[in-house]
Amino acid sequence: IIDHSKIEFNFKEGDTIIHAGEELKGIYFIEEGKAKVMLDLGKDESRIIRLACNGDILGHRGFGLDKIYPISVDALTDISVVFIPKM
């Protein structure tokens, strides 16, 4: 099922992969590249909560009760990800 539904995306350095507050669409697996995962503090402020690289998962915490992404993710380098939509 995963092989048939996965989608590969490429993002450039500085692109936003996930926007905080967005409705949950699925999860991302980093194939190659680096990203920063940030928590929105309001008033155009954010805090980096972790750095992610090859093999890391992005967006998995959105599967909680709210069904939204609680974090933002920006590409630190050109990055290739595999997106698996929620079923």
Side-chain angles (χ1 to χ4, degrees), residues 14-77:
D15 287 350
T16 299
I17 300 167
I18 297 174
H19 296 273
E22 243 181 358
E23 182 181 337
L24 175 75
K25 298 175 193 151
I27 58 174
Y28 298 82
F29 293 89
I30 299 176
E31 287 192 315
E32 188 173 336
K34 297 178 183 173
K36 61 180 175 180
V37 180
M38 301 166 295
L39 183 63
D40 183 20
L41 300 174
K43 296 184 182 180
D44 296 328
E45 290 184 57
S46 61
R47 175 178 296 149
I48 297 173
I49 55 174
R50 74 180 173 106
L51 299 175
C53 61
N54 302 359
D56 287 344
I57 300 171
L58 305 170
H60 58 283
R61 293 188 182 207
F63 282 91
L65 297 175
D66 294 335
K67 305 280 193 241
I68 61 167
Y69 293 114
I71 47 87
S72 293
V73 179
D74 288 346
L76 289 174
T77 64

